[in-house]
């Protein structure tokens, strides 16, 4: 059995390392579209939309419509990346890891092949191609985040690390751009990316479970080939086993478990039953978490969308200076994978320490997450304030705060859902939060129109309004903190009541 355990731990580590490479090299490449667009324009995609400017003797062209078309390609892809997470989450919870990954790999490969065989004459293929790559990539991330369950002491750290790797994978299209400048065609690069799908398939069958990875992890849990010697529970089976064990424990001890506040939607989870999906969605935890994510995501999208005109205005249209700041912003985006684990370390800082009397591991995780939620909210406020100040050198600090907050935001989002709600609902809840926040992010378009029209290109007042709106996100960490204090108070009262009853019997 000792040899089997060693083999199992090795498989866990291989799954972790290969998942990290998968997220870093493939999952979020679509967000490097700015680098890809440079190559596509060089190859003449949508070039028919460029028109000659009258009075310039055919030497001047207006390619604004070409830029708008590229912008539309990315807008649709990024919107579907978030919005379809509701469907993705349901598929993951209902059909498990293998089916979900096969769908994701199929979409991803289809997208890369469409780009490889597209051309100037078939530029419209970019619309389905980038959308397939985006949706396929988020499916790979979704199935990888459960790997954190294999390492209980570092669970949140791994989840945030994977999300940071997802953000940093935008570097792949930058590499494609550099290869293109060295004479390697875009078709060759995307054919290689398509061929790598064989690696994803091998990992699906050799290093990933067929259904789900449960949490807490059963003893000798294993998966993949030759897994008959260990436990292969899926999440639903493990939740039922744990429910029966907790009920038996409560009956034998003669003590009732401390119920959670009924409004948090997870009361059943800690009383020995799995909370329903409906109760989770209708809980205050879910509502405030949705507000927390949606507001900060809108702030980031609007900043990125107005960055170029804002820099042009602050630099008095000095193109070389604007290019310098754009390059600085692009370089900071590569640091997401380095920043994201800090959030996980904050959320996992209590691991290995003794629990308070009567405190469950889930309650300890929840208590620890309140600090992470607060720091993420504070980062967003500071980032929004810096972005609102019309001072060009200050934007270097804005770039740093933006990438730090973005890496904390998405990693913390997944980690909190994993902590606060039953594992069997993770996919659906994660998908619903991302989908609704995607709809909320469409408010960026009215904001763009307002800045471009009534405000004459100056986003200052919109920035101030969004900074004030950002104050709403502090409600979430405060609510979680108060909830944890309430649980601690209930434990103290229960302990005192039990002591008095024991003394009365004596």
């Amino acid at each position: 059995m000792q040899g089997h355990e060693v083999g199992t731990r090795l498989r866990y580590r291989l799954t972790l390392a290969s998942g990290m490479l998968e997220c870093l090299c493939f999952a979020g490449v679509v967000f490097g579209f700015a680098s890809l667009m440079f190559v596509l324009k060089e190859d003449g995609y949508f070039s028919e939309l460029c028109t000659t400017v009258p009075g310039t003797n055919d030497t001047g062209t207006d390619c604004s419509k070409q830029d708008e078309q590229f912008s539309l390609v990315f807008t649709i892809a990024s919107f579907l990346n978030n919005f379809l997470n509701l469907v993705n989450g349901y598929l993951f919870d209902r059909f498990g890891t293998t089916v979900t990954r096969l769908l994701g790999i199929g979409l991803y490969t289809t997208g890369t092949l469409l780009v490889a065989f597209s051309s100037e004459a078939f530029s419209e293929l970019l619309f389905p191609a980038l959308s397939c790559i985006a949706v396929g990539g988020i499916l790979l991330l979704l199935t990888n985040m459960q790997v954190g369950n294999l390492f209980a002491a570092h669970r949140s750290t791994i989840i945030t690390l994977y999300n940071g790797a997802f953000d940093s994978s935008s570097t792949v299209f930058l590499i494609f751009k550099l290869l293109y400048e060295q004479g390697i065609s875009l078709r060759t690069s995307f054919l290689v990316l398509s061929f790598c799908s064989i690696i994803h398939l091998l990992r699906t069958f050799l290093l990933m479970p067929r259904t789900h990875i449960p949490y807490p992890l059963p003893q000798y849990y294993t998966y993949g080939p030759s897994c008959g010697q260990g436990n292969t529970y899926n999440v639903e089976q493990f939740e039922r086993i744990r429910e029966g064990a907790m009920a038996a424990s409560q009956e034998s001890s003669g003590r009732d478990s401390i119920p959670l506040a009924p409004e948090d939607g997870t009361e059943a989870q800690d009383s020995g039953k799995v909370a329903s999906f409906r109760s989770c969605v209708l809980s205050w935890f879910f509502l405030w978490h949705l507000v927390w994510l949606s507001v900060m995501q809108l702030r980031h999208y609007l900043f990125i969308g107005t960055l170029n005109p804002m820099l042009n205005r602050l630099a008095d249209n000095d193109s070389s200076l604007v290019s310098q700041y754009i390059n600085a912003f692009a370089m900071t985006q590569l640091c997401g994978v380095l920043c994201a684990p800090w959030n996980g370390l904050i959320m996992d800082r209590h691991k290995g320490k003794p629990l308070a009397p009567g405190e469950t591991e889930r309650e300890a995780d929840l208590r620890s997450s309140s600090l992470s939620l607060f720091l993420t909210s504070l980062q967003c406020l500071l980032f929004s304030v810096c972005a609102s100040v019309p001072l060009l050198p200050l934007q270097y600090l804005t770039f740093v705060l933006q990438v730090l907050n973005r890496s904390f935001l998405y990693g913390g989002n997944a980690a909190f859902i994993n902590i606060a709600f039953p594992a069997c609902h993770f996919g659906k809840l994660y998908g619903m939060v991302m989908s609704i926040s995607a709809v909320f992010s469409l408010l960026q378009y009215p904001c763009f129109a307002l800045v471009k029209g009534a405000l004459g290109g100056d986003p200052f007042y919109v920035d101030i309004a969004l900074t004030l709106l950002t104050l709403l996100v502090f409600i979430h960490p405060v609510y979680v903190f108060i909830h944890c204090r309430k649980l601690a108070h209930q434990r103290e009262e229960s302990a005192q009541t039990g002591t008095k009853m024991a003394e009365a019997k004596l």
Side-chain angles (χ1 to χ4, degrees):
M1 183 61 71
Q2 185 177 0
H4 172 72
E5 184 176 355
V6 172
T8 299
R9 299 304 299 177
L10 177 61
R11 180 170 292 175
Y12 289 179
R13 293 188 181 96
L14 288 174
T15 299
L16 173 64
S18 59
M20 179 65 185
L21 290 175
E22 188 172 76
C23 290
L24 185 60
C25 299
F26 303 97
V29 295
V30 71
F31 292 100
F33 184 73
S35 299
L36 178 65
M37 188 176 75
F38 175 85
V39 179
L40 294 173
K41 293 182 76 171
E42 288 289 316
D43 282 347
Y45 283 70
F46 299 121
S47 57
E48 71 277 2
L49 298 176
C50 293
T51 57
T52 303
V53 179
T56 59
N57 297 323
D58 297 333
T59 60
T61 56
D62 178 13
C63 292
S64 59
K65 291 187 180 298
Q66 181 192 32
D67 292 337
E68 289 176 5
Q69 198 75 348
F70 280 123
S71 177
L72 183 60
V73 170
F74 177 71
T75 298
I76 293 174
S78 58
F79 173 75
L80 292 177
N81 177 76
N82 282 351
F83 184 73
L84 288 183
N85 267 307
L86 180 59
V87 178
N88 297 341
Y90 173 79
L91 291 174
F92 178 58
D93 285 343
R94 177 67 179 83
F95 298 104
T97 302
T98 299
V99 173
T100 306
R101 284 183 61 84
L102 290 177
L103 174 62
I105 294 168
L107 288 171
Y108 196 91
T109 307
T110 299
T112 54
L113 288 175
L114 284 174
V115 176
F117 292 104
S118 64
S119 63
E120 178 182 351
F122 298 99
S123 302
E124 289 75 14
L125 287 177
L126 292 178
F127 284 98
L130 270 294
S131 296
C132 286
I133 292 174
V135 177
I138 199 67
L139 282 170
L140 294 178
L141 174 65
L142 179 63
T143 57
N144 274 314
M145 284 190 292
Q146 62 178 327
V147 173
N149 294 346
L150 297 174
F151 304 89
H154 307 287
R155 183 187 184 199
S156 297
T157 302
I158 291 171
I159 293 173
T160 54
L161 182 63
Y162 276 3
N163 278 269
F166 178 87
D167 289 338
S168 294
S169 62
S170 59
T171 314
V172 172
F173 282 171
L174 175 60
I175 295 173
F176 284 7
K177 175 178 177 290
L178 297 176
L179 292 175
Y180 179 83
E181 292 171 348
Q182 298 300 317
I184 299 177
S185 69
L186 196 64
R187 172 169 296 182
T188 300
S189 297
F190 271 92
L191 285 176
V192 171
L193 200 62
S194 302
F195 182 77
C196 288
S197 294
I198 296 176
I199 301 175
H200 304 322
L201 288 172
L202 292 175
R203 184 169 180 270
T204 299
F205 294 109
L206 299 179
L207 291 174
M208 293 296 284
R210 185 178 61 83
T211 54
H212 305 91
I213 300 175
Y215 184 81
L217 206 64
Q219 190 176 20
Y220 306 126
Y221 172 79
T222 188
Y223 49 86
S226 303
C227 61
Q229 301 177 15
N231 290 328
T232 57
Y233 300 131
N234 60 29
V235 172
E236 293 76 10
Q237 290 173 326
F238 187 69
E239 293 285 1
R240 288 195 293 268
I241 292 172
R242 187 175 63 169
E243 176 183 343
M246 292 180 67
S249 175
Q250 291 173 8
E251 184 177 352
S252 62
S253 63
R255 291 185 290 110
D256 293 330
S257 63
I258 301 170
L260 296 178
E263 66 269 15
D264 80 343
T266 52
E267 176 182 5
Q269 184 181 355
D270 279 10
S271 62
K273 299 178 181 179
V274 180
S276 67
F277 174 70
R278 182 175 181 274
S279 67
C280 293
V281 171
L282 296 179
S283 67
W284 284 108
F285 269 5
F286 184 84
L287 172 64
W288 290 125
H289 188 68
L290 177 61
V291 172
W292 180 83
L293 175 65
S294 299
V295 170
M296 285 193 278
Q297 182 171 262
L298 175 63
R299 186 66 190 96
H300 282 274
Y301 282 3
L302 188 64
F303 174 74
I304 295 173
T306 59
L307 178 62
N308 199 291
M310 182 264 287
L311 291 176
N312 272 295
R313 188 179 66 258
L314 296 180
D316 294 326
N317 293 315
D318 184 339
S319 59
S320 62
L321 190 57
V322 171
S323 176
Q324 175 185 329
Y325 276 84
I326 289 292
N327 289 341
F329 176 73
M331 292 302 296
T332 59
Q333 299 306 298
L334 306 181
C335 299
V337 69
L338 302 178
C339 299
W342 301 351
N343 193 19
L345 292 173
I346 292 172
M347 301 183 81
D348 286 335
R349 69 189 187 281
H350 65 289
K351 300 291 188 180
K353 299 179 180 178
L355 299 176
E359 185 180 40
T360 65
E361 185 175 352
R362 175 189 168 276
E363 291 172 14
D365 290 343
L366 199 59
R367 172 170 49 81
S368 183
S369 71
S370 61
L371 176 60
S372 167
L373 297 172
F374 175 79
L375 290 177
T376 307
S377 304
L378 182 62
Q379 291 165 4
C380 186
L381 180 62
L382 294 176
F383 151 62
S384 187
V385 169
C386 289
S388 303
V389 178
L391 185 63
L392 189 59
L394 185 62
Q395 301 315 306
Y396 286 120
L397 177 59
T398 304
F399 298 159
V400 173
L401 290 172
Q402 191 270 340
V403 71
L404 180 64
N405 184 236
R406 179 179 169 83
S407 61
F408 267 59
L409 176 63
Y410 290 106
N413 166 51
F416 179 80
I417 294 174
N418 212 348
I419 289 170
F421 302 103
C424 59
H425 299 316
F426 172 77
K428 294 187 291 293
L429 291 172
Y430 178 81
M432 179 166 283
V433 164
M434 295 299 288
S435 296
I436 298 176
S437 67
V439 175
F440 187 81
S441 69
L442 292 177
L443 289 175
Q444 63 184 298
Y445 297 105
C447 292
F448 289 153
L450 180 62
V451 171
K452 187 176 180 180
L455 298 179
D458 186 356
F460 178 75
Y461 292 107
V462 172
D463 287 337
I464 293 298
L466 285 176
T467 300
L468 295 175
L469 183 64
T470 301
L471 296 175
L472 285 177
V473 303
F474 286 93
I475 297 177
H476 187 33
V478 170
Y479 179 80
V480 173
F481 177 77
I482 293 175
H483 174 78
C484 292
R485 290 288 299 270
K486 184 176 181 180
L487 287 178
H489 182 66
Q490 288 178 350
R491 283 196 302 271
E492 291 177 2
E493 288 184 346
S494 178
Q496 292 174 0
T497 301
T499 301
K500 290 179 181 179
M501 292 179 62
E503 292 175 349
K505 288 181 179 179
L506 293 176

